[in-house]
């Protein structure tokens, strides 16, 4: 066992799973082993965990629902942090909701709707955590996290716990300051508004029906693979290029939604990367548009 893993075990920072396959933690069902997956259950454990990793100079990364991530076939060197059940809570206070970083965005949006609170309907189909949604400024249906975000408690790479407001988060399209400043969202506060329960329920039902009809949710995938270029949609370009159904090994451009790549059963990370590169090359050649990946490609290459 590596020295840093032993040190984490002695510090009781949560469950420690050495040599853990990352395919278990991603919606693509792809990924080699991490040196260790650590599951803290409290903010204090998370802070201590980060402090030790910082002192030992061990690289680390966070995984939420694994819905926007492609892990290499060789896995991840260093630590992967997965927030445990103790960091999945939420509390509603009037029109505000405070949620832990590991809380499900879908569950939170459903609970808000049942309370007659509007503002989170867009998130009812985002299969991620609160922390991941804040990190990515996740969005759909013309809205995103930045429109409801109030503040967050963030554990910095030194283990320090700080509070950031919306301005400090520097939100942009699928971006926040956490892309440049390594940190983990421990808790976030969202400002919602009072609304009509029936209207909220109707909107969420319509979004759900639309997803079922247009997205390959029955197959392992990671949502939209590429960001929409200004004034256009990546799916439209990929479909116009005739790439629906195009395959590389076990990875295939979905016949249902051209900006989704599905794992047909035995896809590897290299299959997905090869397919992504082919799509980018074809779109650049046909339309002079450079598609930028929305998924994160991580791990040893």
């Amino acid at each position: 066992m590596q020295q840093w893993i032993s040190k984490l075990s002695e510090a009781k920072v949560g469950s420690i799973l050495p040599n853990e396959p990352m395919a278990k933690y991603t919606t693509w069902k792809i990924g080699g082993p991490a040196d260790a997956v650590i599951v803290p259950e409290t903010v204090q454990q998370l802070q201590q965990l980060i402090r030790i990793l910082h002192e030992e100079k061990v690289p680390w990364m966070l995984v939420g629902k694994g819905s926007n991530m492609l892990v290499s076939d060789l896995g991840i060197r260093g630590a992967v942090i997965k927030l445990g059940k103790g960091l999945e809570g939420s509390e509603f206070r009037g029109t505000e909701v405070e949620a832990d970083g590991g809380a499900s965005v879908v569950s939170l949006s459903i609970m808000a709707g049942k309370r007659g609170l509007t503002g989170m309907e867009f998130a009812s189909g985002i299969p991620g955590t609160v922390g991941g949604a804040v990190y990515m400024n996740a969005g759909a249906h013309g809205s995103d996290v930045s429109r409801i975000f109030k503040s967050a408690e963030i554990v910095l790479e030194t283990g320090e716990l700080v509070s950031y407001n919306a301005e400090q988060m520097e939100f942009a399209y699928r971006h926040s300051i956490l892309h440049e400043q390594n940190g983990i969202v421990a808790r976030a506060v969202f400002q919602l508004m009072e609304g009509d329960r029936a209207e909220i329920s109707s909107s969420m039902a319509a979004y759900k029906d639309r997803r079922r009809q247009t997205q390959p949710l029955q197959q392992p995938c990671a949502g939209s693979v590429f960001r929409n270029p200004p004034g256009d949609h990546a799916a439209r370009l990929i479909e116009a290029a005739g790439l629906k159904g195009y395959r590389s090994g076990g990875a295939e451009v979905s016949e249902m939604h051209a900006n989704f790549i599905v794992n047909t059963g035995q896809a590897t990370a290299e299959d997905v990367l090869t397919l992504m590169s082919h799509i980018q090359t074809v779109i650049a050649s046909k339309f002079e548009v450079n598609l930028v990946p929305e998924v994160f490609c991580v791990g040893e290459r």
Side-chain angles (χ1 to χ4, degrees), residues 55-276:
E55 291 167 1
E56 297 291 317
K57 296 181 172 57
V58 177
W60 59 267
M61 62 170 291
L62 181 74
V63 62
K65 299 293 186 184
S67 59
N68 204 38
M69 179 182 295
L70 178 66
V71 178
S72 84
D73 301 313
L74 297 178
I76 298 173
R77 305 288 69 80
V80 173
I81 300 169
K82 169 82 172 171
L83 300 184
K85 296 288 186 183
L87 290 168
E88 294 181 358
S90 61
E91 180 183 359
F92 286 82
R93 298 186 297 268
T95 56
E96 283 186 2
V97 56
E98 179 175 328
D100 293 335
S104 162
V105 176
V106 171
S107 296
L108 199 64
S109 66
I110 292 172
M111 287 189 288
K114 288 180 177 178
R115 287 169 170 78
L117 298 176
T118 184
M120 288 203 76
E121 293 91 325
F122 76 91
S124 62
I126 296 176
T129 61
V130 164
V134 171
Y135 177 87
M136 277 296 294
N137 187 23
H141 309 295
S143 190
D144 59 32
V145 165
S146 70
R147 301 193 185 199
I148 59 172
F149 180 90
K150 187 173 183 181
S151 64
E153 290 183 358
I154 295 168
V155 179
L156 300 180
E157 60 183 354
T158 58
E160 180 186 4
L161 185 67
V162 299
S163 181
Y164 282 5
N165 60 28
E167 184 178 356
Q168 290 169 307
M169 288 300 296
E170 298 182 8
F171 287 122
Y173 178 67
R174 303 297 179 265
H175 179 273
S176 75
I177 193 174
L178 296 178
H179 287 220
E180 288 82 45
Q181 184 181 82
N182 216 7
I184 295 175
V185 176
R187 297 188 185 94
V189 178
F190 303 109
Q191 181 64 63
L192 307 179
M193 296 180 294
E194 292 183 357
D196 183 271
R197 282 184 177 83
E199 290 182 3
I200 295 169
S201 177
S202 177
S203 293
M204 291 172 68
Y207 293 157
K208 186 175 183 179
D209 286 343
R210 182 180 173 188
R211 288 192 303 276
R212 285 176 173 172
Q213 295 170 10
T214 62
Q215 298 178 9
L217 303 179
Q218 303 306 312
Q219 294 176 282
C221 59
S224 295
V225 175
F226 297 103
R227 299 182 182 187
N228 287 327
D232 209 336
H233 290 87
R236 188 198 71 79
L237 293 170
I238 297 168
E239 182 171 358
L243 291 174
K244 271 190 171 182
Y246 190 90
R247 294 184 64 155
S248 172
E252 179 182 84
V253 177
S254 170
E255 292 278 10
M256 185 175 285
H257 192 306
N259 199 21
F260 279 55
I261 291 176
V262 297
N263 178 355
T264 62
Q266 300 295 325
T268 64
E270 281 304 312
D271 290 341
V272 176
L273 289 171
T274 299
L275 186 51
M276 287 173 62

